[in-house]
Amino acid sequence: MNIMQITQNAVNLADSLATANPVLTEVNAGESMNMLDLAIKGGWIMIVLGALSLLCFYILFERMYVIRKAGKEDPMFMDRVKDYILSGEIKAALNYCRTMNTPSARMIEKGISRLGRPVNDVQAAIENVGNFEVAKLEKGMTIMATIAGGAPMIGFLGTVTGMIRAFYEMANAGNNVDISLLSGGIYEAMVTTVGGLIVGIIAMFAYNYLVTRIDGVVNKMEIQTMAFMDLLNEPAKK
């Protein structure tokens, strides 16, 4: 077989594919498909992924607000608490902590309310409040982690159901198999995979970002706790 024959066979093959596959010729000469059209092609799985993405963004912005509020503190907070305690103004120190309304302030407030007891009891009370405050900061994080891991799996579920539908329609078509019969199932299979991966990736990055912000607040809480415990031990050192 010479080069001219190979070229002619390739041209004939391309013509036959174009004739047998009107979907491809439509795509080449037709209109482009936007994101909404692709999402509709994904079927009911895309509705689930859309709901998960909305929930993910709600948790992200709500936690960002809470964490930002928890991280705002007066740089002179411990200095003022120290001044109140050393001057014997315990009630003033408690009122000052209440006005701050931050996780660190609530921990120190609990410690001040336990003044006069053994140091270990004071530290245990502060740690209990700290654990409660960290749990409040992490509210909703489990849901976001579940979305990060579950959205791709839901997308793969749509892939499987789409391919099953495509092969079912192909089996029912018998000898009259047309690529247009398979297009719906294939669209659903591919679109749900992409949608699940997009939602999962966004949720994963959002989760790691929030974890980093929460760790920053927790570090501030630990620093304030150490400073308060040093303040309690200060008279014993003199």
Side-chain angles (χ1 to χ4, degrees), residues 161-174 181-182:
T161 57
M163 295 306 296
I164 290 174
R165 184 161 69 88
F167 284 112
Y168 177 78
E169 292 176 354
M170 184 173 64
N172 288 339
L181 296 175
L182 308 177

Short mmCIF file of all heavy atoms in Angstrom, two decimals, residues 161-174 181-182:
data_model
loop_
_atom_site.label_atom_id
_atom_site.label_comp_id
_atom_site.label_asym_id
_atom_site.label_seq_id
_atom_site.Cartn_x
_atom_site.Cartn_y
_atom_site.Cartn_z
N THR A 161 -23.53 6.13 37.34
CA THR A 161 -24.94 6.09 36.90
C THR A 161 -25.08 6.58 35.46
O THR A 161 -25.90 6.05 34.69
CB THR A 161 -25.81 6.94 37.83
OG1 THR A 161 -25.30 8.30 37.87
CG2 THR A 161 -25.80 6.38 39.25
N GLY A 162 -24.28 7.58 35.09
CA GLY A 162 -24.33 8.07 33.71
C GLY A 162 -23.87 7.02 32.71
O GLY A 162 -24.48 6.85 31.65
N MET A 163 -22.81 6.31 33.03
CA MET A 163 -22.32 5.28 32.13
C MET A 163 -23.29 4.10 32.06
O MET A 163 -23.48 3.50 31.00
CB MET A 163 -20.94 4.81 32.58
CG MET A 163 -19.85 5.87 32.49
SD MET A 163 -19.71 6.61 30.85
CE MET A 163 -19.20 5.20 29.88
N ILE A 164 -23.91 3.78 33.20
CA ILE A 164 -24.91 2.71 33.19
C ILE A 164 -26.06 3.08 32.26
O ILE A 164 -26.56 2.26 31.47
CB ILE A 164 -25.42 2.44 34.62
CG1 ILE A 164 -24.33 1.76 35.45
CG2 ILE A 164 -26.68 1.57 34.59
CD1 ILE A 164 -24.69 1.57 36.90
N ARG A 165 -26.52 4.35 32.37
CA ARG A 165 -27.61 4.79 31.50
C ARG A 165 -27.20 4.76 30.03
O ARG A 165 -27.99 4.36 29.16
CB ARG A 165 -28.05 6.21 31.88
CG ARG A 165 -29.25 6.72 31.10
CD ARG A 165 -29.90 7.89 31.81
NE ARG A 165 -29.06 9.07 31.79
CZ ARG A 165 -29.08 9.97 30.79
NH1 ARG A 165 -29.87 9.77 29.74
NH2 ARG A 165 -28.32 11.02 30.83
N ALA A 166 -25.94 5.14 29.75
CA ALA A 166 -25.47 5.13 28.37
C ALA A 166 -25.45 3.72 27.81
O ALA A 166 -25.93 3.47 26.69
CB ALA A 166 -24.08 5.76 28.30
N PHE A 167 -24.94 2.77 28.56
CA PHE A 167 -24.88 1.39 28.08
C PHE A 167 -26.27 0.76 28.02
O PHE A 167 -26.54 -0.09 27.17
CB PHE A 167 -23.96 0.56 28.97
CG PHE A 167 -22.50 0.81 28.71
CD1 PHE A 167 -21.71 1.44 29.67
CD2 PHE A 167 -21.92 0.43 27.51
CE1 PHE A 167 -20.37 1.68 29.43
CE2 PHE A 167 -20.58 0.67 27.27
CZ PHE A 167 -19.80 1.30 28.22
N TYR A 168 -27.16 1.16 28.92
CA TYR A 168 -28.53 0.65 28.88
C TYR A 168 -29.23 1.08 27.60
O TYR A 168 -29.91 0.28 26.94
CB TYR A 168 -29.29 1.15 30.10
CG TYR A 168 -30.74 0.75 30.14
CD1 TYR A 168 -31.11 -0.55 30.50
CD2 TYR A 168 -31.74 1.66 29.79
CE1 TYR A 168 -32.45 -0.92 30.52
CE2 TYR A 168 -33.07 1.30 29.81
CZ TYR A 168 -33.42 0.00 30.18
OH TYR A 168 -34.74 -0.36 30.19
N GLU A 169 -29.08 2.36 27.25
CA GLU A 169 -29.68 2.85 26.02
C GLU A 169 -29.05 2.19 24.80
O GLU A 169 -29.73 1.91 23.81
CB GLU A 169 -29.54 4.37 25.94
CG GLU A 169 -30.36 5.11 26.98
CD GLU A 169 -30.13 6.61 26.95
OE1 GLU A 169 -29.24 7.04 26.18
OE2 GLU A 169 -30.83 7.34 27.68
N MET A 170 -27.74 1.93 24.87
CA MET A 170 -27.08 1.27 23.75
C MET A 170 -27.58 -0.16 23.60
O MET A 170 -27.79 -0.66 22.49
CB MET A 170 -25.56 1.28 23.97
CG MET A 170 -24.77 0.69 22.81
SD MET A 170 -22.99 0.91 23.02
CE MET A 170 -22.71 -0.08 24.49
N ALA A 171 -27.81 -0.85 24.75
CA ALA A 171 -28.30 -2.22 24.69
C ALA A 171 -29.72 -2.26 24.14
O ALA A 171 -30.09 -3.17 23.37
CB ALA A 171 -28.25 -2.85 26.07
N ASN A 172 -30.56 -1.29 24.50
CA ASN A 172 -31.94 -1.27 24.01
C ASN A 172 -32.02 -0.91 22.54
O ASN A 172 -33.01 -1.24 21.86
CB ASN A 172 -32.77 -0.28 24.83
CG ASN A 172 -33.06 -0.78 26.22
OD1 ASN A 172 -33.00 -1.98 26.49
ND2 ASN A 172 -33.37 0.14 27.13
N ALA A 173 -30.99 -0.19 22.05
CA ALA A 173 -31.01 0.20 20.64
C ALA A 173 -30.76 -0.96 19.71
O ALA A 173 -31.09 -0.88 18.52
CB ALA A 173 -29.97 1.29 20.40
N GLY A 174 -30.20 -2.05 20.23
CA GLY A 174 -29.93 -3.22 19.40
C GLY A 174 -28.89 -2.93 18.35
O GLY A 174 -27.81 -2.41 18.64
N LEU A 181 -27.52 8.50 21.06
CA LEU A 181 -28.20 7.84 22.17
C LEU A 181 -27.32 7.81 23.42
O LEU A 181 -27.82 7.74 24.54
CB LEU A 181 -28.57 6.40 21.77
CG LEU A 181 -29.58 6.24 20.63
CD1 LEU A 181 -29.74 4.77 20.29
CD2 LEU A 181 -30.92 6.85 21.02
N LEU A 182 -26.02 7.84 23.21
CA LEU A 182 -25.09 7.74 24.34
C LEU A 182 -24.68 9.09 24.89
O LEU A 182 -24.09 9.16 25.96
CB LEU A 182 -23.83 6.97 23.90
CG LEU A 182 -24.05 5.62 23.22
CD1 LEU A 182 -22.71 5.03 22.79
CD2 LEU A 182 -24.78 4.67 24.12
#
